[in-house]
Amino acid sequence: MCDFGVRCQAEGEFIPWEEAFEPLARVPESSPWFVEAQLVKAMVFVRQRNSVRALNSYHAILRHVERENTPSTTKQRHLRDLTWMHTAQFQFAISRNYEPGLRRSLQAYNQLERDSAHFDDSRFEQAWVLFHMGQHEQSLRNLDSLPADYLLLRPEAHLLRAMIHYARCDHEATVAALETLRNTHGDERDELRELRSSLGFERAFEIAIGRADVSRWPSRSTSAFLAQAPHKPSLRRRVDSIDRIDEELDQLASSSEELHGTPLHNRILSETRLLRSIEAETLERSVSRFLQMREEEISGLIEFGLAIEVESTARLDHQNPCER
């Protein structure tokens, strides 16, 4: 596992990323792992803010894929689309007020086809690029083209819509978009806060495996967000660890009579139970942090939106909406 841009972990020991980089650099283009190696290199360069080397790695992947004409497997296509997404995101990050860079970002997003698993993400992120380019109508069209279930997980879409209306001096629409943000996700924030305050291991485990009882939470956005938990790799790893420990405890419980109750058996049993307790506490903290990050995200968006709403309301009251 790599903590990109800082260090990589090999066989349980942390080593400097520069050392971990050496085997990546030696992966030949003929290797089936070439694309993955280049992708990891690019992600490291992004964390280091080394834009030239990051883009070189992305371009190496794309040249490699294009040489093969079309990706021959689902995995290859996924990696190609992921590379275009990373390229577009990076171009946007370094080109906020530089139109040629923003156009390159749009071009990268446009490489994703409609049946791509990342197509909706590309349309949504394009909307932000178009907003920064002043193409407000097209940005709104991108938002309007996205499925409702997709937007339910992205409260920032309401903020973007409000910012577009504000830039167009349509302050009534600005206020309406921000009210929608509060109405749709304000309840979700409060529900997540309540859930986190009385979490406990059992409920955390249910959330992590996707079996949480969501009937008590009336907000659709809360249910949609909790449904994402089983797809979080960090939570999945914790659940897998607990499952393996439980299997070990079952084996210890069914061990032979000769071993049962001996000092060795008791010690192994005690230490295995301690491991499970540690993993359970870690899972509960991880789920709590998962909920807290979403709660803080929504709070930040609503707070930022309130500042825009105050300004829009003031302009409406003065009947001079386009005054700068």
Side-chain angles (χ1 to χ4, degrees):
M1 290 292 297
C2 283
D3 178 8
F4 297 118
V6 181
R7 54 189 180 180
C8 287
Q9 187 180 26
E11 298 179 355
E13 295 183 0
F14 284 108
I15 58 177
W17 72 264
E18 293 92 341
E19 295 179 26
F21 228 47
E22 294 179 9
L24 292 175
R26 291 198 297 269
V27 176
E29 193 167 353
S30 58
S31 168
W33 301 104
F34 176 76
V35 172
E36 284 92 336
Q38 291 294 322
L39 197 57
V40 171
K41 286 172 61 179
M43 294 174 77
V44 172
F45 288 138
V46 168
R47 290 296 181 91
Q48 293 183 307
R49 303 182 184 276
N50 191 329
S51 58
V52 173
R53 298 186 73 179
L55 290 172
N56 285 343
S57 292
Y58 288 139
H59 292 159
I61 297 172
L62 296 171
R63 285 196 303 271
H64 175 78
V65 171
E66 292 304 321
R67 259 188 233 109
E68 297 181 355
N69 296 321
T70 57
S72 58
T73 66
T74 302
K75 181 180 179 181
Q76 286 175 317
R77 181 176 178 187
H78 170 73
L79 289 170
R80 181 200 65 182
D81 290 349
L82 200 59
T83 302
W84 279 120
M85 287 290 291
H86 280 303
T87 302
Q89 291 163 354
F90 193 61
Q91 287 283 5
F92 176 56
I94 63 176
S95 308
R96 291 296 176 92
N97 299 308
Y98 180 60
E99 188 158 329
L102 294 175
R103 284 199 298 270
R104 286 194 289 271
S105 179
L106 284 180
Q107 290 168 359
Y109 281 124
N110 284 330
Q111 300 302 314
L112 278 79
E113 298 175 1
R114 186 170 293 274
D115 61 346
S116 168
H118 302 284
F119 182 74
D120 287 343
D121 291 330
S122 72
R123 296 287 291 174
F124 180 56
E125 293 177 17
Q126 267 187 323
W128 284 98
V129 179
L130 290 163
F131 169 73
H132 280 269
M133 295 178 71
Q135 297 184 27
H136 300 144
E137 289 293 338
Q138 184 58 52
S139 183
L140 281 175
R141 282 196 290 270
N142 270 41
L143 289 177
D144 292 338
S145 72
L146 291 166
D149 287 346
Y150 177 88
L151 291 174
L152 199 61
L153 290 165
R154 288 159 182 83
E156 64 271 27
H158 299 294
L159 184 62
L160 174 57
R161 192 179 293 274
M163 291 166 65
I164 293 169
H165 291 312
Y166 182 85
R168 298 167 67 196
C169 300
D170 187 347
H171 295 293
E172 289 185 358
T174 301
V175 172
L178 293 171
E179 286 178 350
T180 302
L181 169 63
R182 288 196 301 275
N183 294 337
T184 304
H185 296 282
D187 288 342
E188 177 189 353
R189 175 197 57 190
D190 297 340
E191 290 166 0
L192 293 176
R193 184 176 297 150
E194 181 184 346
L195 176 58
R196 194 162 58 86
S197 68
S198 59
L199 189 58
F201 168 70
E202 294 299 331
R203 184 171 290 174
F205 189 81
E206 290 171 353
I207 291 172
I209 63 175
R211 295 182 184 172
D213 178 12
V214 296
S215 61
R216 61 179 295 188
W217 312 114
S219 171
R220 285 184 60 233
S221 58
T222 300
S223 300
F225 173 68
L226 292 179
Q228 303 300 302
H231 306 291
K232 296 286 291 182
S234 59
L235 300 182
R236 186 70 254 172
R237 285 194 297 271
R238 294 300 174 192
V239 169
D240 289 343
S241 294
I242 291 172
D243 286 343
R244 287 196 298 270
I245 292 172
D246 284 345
E247 290 175 4
E248 181 66 23
L249 288 171
D250 288 341
Q251 291 178 7
L252 287 168
S254 60
S255 58
S256 64
E257 292 183 3
E258 292 79 6
L259 182 61
H260 231 290
T262 62
L264 176 61
H265 178 272
N266 290 339
R267 179 174 179 179
I268 294 174
L269 182 61
S270 175
E271 292 184 357
T272 305
R273 286 172 174 166
L274 176 60
L275 282 174
R276 192 189 191 284
S277 176
I278 292 171
E279 287 291 346
E281 290 176 6
T282 304
L283 175 65
E284 184 178 344
R285 286 198 302 270
S286 298
V287 171
S288 179
R289 181 58 181 157
F290 171 67
L291 302 175
Q292 182 181 3
M293 289 176 67
R294 175 70 166 186
E295 178 191 325
E296 291 175 350
E297 175 193 7
I298 294 172
S299 294
L301 291 170
I302 290 176
E303 184 176 347
F304 186 77
L306 284 173
I308 298 175
E309 186 172 353
V310 167
E311 183 67 19
S312 288
T313 303
R315 292 184 186 280
L316 285 171
D317 291 343
H318 286 84
Q319 297 182 344
N320 194 359
C322 287
E323 181 185 348
R324 299 296 182 191

